[in-house]
DNA sequence: ATTCTAAAGTGGTCAGACCACTATCCTTTA
DNA sequence: TAAAGGATAGTGGTCTGACCACTTTAGAAT
């Protein structure tokens, strides 16, 4: 696998080489990769270097290793990386705003997406939520938003949303207040009626209530 | 750092321990971490185990190592992890659509953001672009879109956009055709006038031209 | 044919040895 | 005294070989 200008970070090259190997062998999720010793021999590096690369990929959740058995291509849907990342990253205030903004972008897009799709905006789920909102049963904020993002059926967007949710300053895990429920109800109704513009407005209202900050002036 | 039931994945415990150490020492971005040998001694494990953990964190972009100097807490704004991850995932056609969709979400959001901000929508840059579009000089598609996303001033969104751009099926790197320039001109004008709704419509038109696919029916 | 056992293969870990590089201190020099 | 130079210690980068614990496999004993 071409020693093209070793970037003084051999293990990074190995990561790249591994990708090539995986591609060449057409390995699919669950397939077994060559053993560490074989890889070391094939790529002409020490086993420890191979391991450093593999361990990195494992932490990312891209591969899975089972002692005594071997190394396998993992189902990366578990996004283990997110967990790890979360405990480190994004604690500086500067980032927090962009996190919030980006999260809103995705929520808004999901709302518009559903509003504009006759099929998805008439899904029975929304009726259920509407009923729930009428009742006195406590509702967690993220329940509704999550459903919306899920139904929008963009896996990548969903992934990003899940990630951002964890860092958001908006208390997603709390229950809705009474006045909130009203706004949420309006949001749902507009969405079901296919009125994306109004639905988004309701959504903005809702955020204003939850955060209790200045309104609208800077909603990127 | 308690050997509490070693999870048969020592290096994962180490990752956790490292986090603890970082916290305890109140290390800030740019600070130097203890050397690998010191860590190995302190945590009572071999140096190779420490390295596997460190290399993982490095691939995630959480630390930075400089040969001869040491290991440092990184500026995680580089999100190297995303790059790596992306090169693995996102090669199956299923994902490609969500990549495109998500990219559009961010572009749309940026356009709306700028349109709604009197300051940003009157920036001189837009005038320059307008002039360029009138001329015969070739213009690369991504030039305009990039400027828009940049001006929206959401670093995270920008980062995501850059990432997605690489995998998009839309030929961003190509030059605009003549009819495209016209639509792009309209887009700019609407944006500068603060008409976000129309601006987004122009944007959608533009995409239709570039991709030449079915229009609108499924624009999430 | 079944069961049991030994061997081979695999990841997990460690220790020690180099290498290449950087920072530091201390000597030498002007 | 101040500047220049070089030896030294410390650091990450890598390799080797050796164990260990575990799983699978193949062969032997029943």
């Amino acid at each position: 696998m071409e020693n093209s200008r070793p970037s003084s970070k051999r293990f990074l090259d190995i990561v790249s080489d591994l990708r090539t190997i995986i591609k060449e062998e057409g390995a699919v999720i669950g397939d077994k990769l060559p053993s560490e010793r074989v890889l070391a021999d094939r790529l002409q590096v020490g086993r420890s270097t191979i391991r450093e690369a593999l361990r990195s990929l494992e932490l990312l959740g891209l591969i899975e290793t089972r002692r005594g058995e071997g190394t396998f291509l993992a189902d990366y849907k578990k996004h283990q990386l997110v967990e790890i990342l979360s405990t480190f990253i994004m604690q500086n205030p500067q980032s927090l705003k962009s996190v919030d903004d980006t999260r809103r972008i995705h929520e808004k897009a999901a709302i518009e997406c559903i509003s504009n799709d006759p099929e998805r905006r008439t899904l029975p789920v929304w009726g259920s939520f509407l009923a729930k909102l009428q009742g006195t049963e406590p509702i967690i904020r993220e329940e509704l938003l999550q459903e919306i993002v899920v139904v929008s059926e963009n896996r990548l967007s969903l992934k990003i949303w899940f990630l951002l949710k964890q860092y958001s300053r908006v208390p997603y895990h709390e229950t809705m207040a009474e006045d909130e429920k009203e706004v949420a109800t309006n949001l749902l109704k507009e969405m079901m009626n296919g009125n994306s513009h109004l639905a988004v407005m309701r959504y903005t209202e809702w955020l204003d209530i939850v955060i209790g900050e200045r309104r609208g002036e800077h909603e990127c």
Side-chain angles (χ1 to χ4, degrees), chain A:
Chain A
M1 251 24 99
E2 65 280 359
N3 309 345
S4 56
R5 213 166 302 113
S7 42
S8 118
K9 296 278 186 195
R10 195 79 132 221
F11 95 96
L12 281 182
D13 296 328
I14 299 299
V15 168
S16 171
D17 289 344
L18 285 177
R19 228 180 43 219
T20 306
I21 288 182
I22 291 175
K23 220 171 219 163
E24 280 177 355
E25 308 207 336
V28 192
I29 290 176
D31 281 6
K32 191 162 178 287
L33 300 181
S35 77
E36 298 178 349
R37 288 167 178 87
V38 170
L39 287 173
D41 186 62
R42 169 125 64 123
L43 298 178
Q44 287 292 294
V45 295
R47 192 180 152 213
S48 54
T49 304
I50 293 288
R51 280 186 61 81
E52 289 181 9
L54 287 177
R55 252 16 79 206
S56 300
L57 297 182
E58 182 174 5
L59 192 64
L60 278 178
L62 296 175
I63 61 174
E64 187 183 341
T65 57
R66 296 197 283 272
R67 172 192 245 160
E69 300 182 51
T71 306
F72 305 82
L73 256 193
D75 182 358
Y76 32 68
K77 289 195 186 59
K78 296 169 187 167
H79 22 25
Q80 190 172 0
L81 75 155
V82 178
E83 324 274 1
I84 304 294
L85 193 74
S86 62
T87 55
F88 276 88
I89 290 196
M90 302 201 183
Q91 39 208 10
N92 72 323
Q94 203 272 7
S95 300
L96 279 179
K97 189 187 175 321
S98 70
V99 170
D100 269 341
D101 287 344
T102 306
R103 184 185 46 73
R104 287 186 210 187
I105 287 176
H106 284 265
E107 289 170 353
K108 225 165 103 178
I111 291 173
E112 285 178 338
C113 166
I114 296 175
S115 299
N116 291 329
D117 181 3
E119 290 208 16
R120 273 178 278 195
R121 76 173 181 236
T122 52
L123 248 37
V125 213
W126 311 129
S128 311
F129 263 110
L130 228 40
K132 254 189 177 178
L133 283 166
Q134 305 303 334
T136 55
E137 185 187 354
I139 303 183
I140 310 291
R141 286 183 184 126
E142 66 178 10
E143 286 180 19
L144 178 55
L145 286 171
Q146 178 171 324
E147 191 63 33
I148 288 176
V149 180
V150 167
V151 170
S152 81
E153 274 181 333
N154 180 327
R155 292 192 62 84
L156 180 56
S157 180
L158 176 62
K159 213 145 195 160
I160 296 175
W161 183 80
F162 259 108
L163 171 62
L164 300 181
K165 178 164 70 77
Q166 297 178 294
Y167 306 100
S168 180
R169 287 170 300 189
V170 179
Y172 269 93
H173 47 88
E174 294 180 2
T175 59
M176 293 192 203
E178 283 310 312
D179 54 344
E180 254 182 276
K181 288 189 180 178
E182 198 183 319
V183 181
T185 303
N186 290 334
L187 161 53
L188 269 178
K189 282 182 180 168
E190 299 294 1
M191 196 172 77
M192 294 171 75
N193 286 334
N195 209 328
S196 67
H197 191 64
L198 284 179
V200 170
M201 281 189 61
R202 298 305 172 202
Y203 164 73
T204 308
E205 275 182 42
W206 184 19
L207 281 183
D208 287 342
I209 292 179
V210 176
I211 306 185
E213 281 180 7
R214 77 281 174 270
R215 61 183 51 228
E217 48 148 317
H218 191 256
E219 72 178 48
C220 295

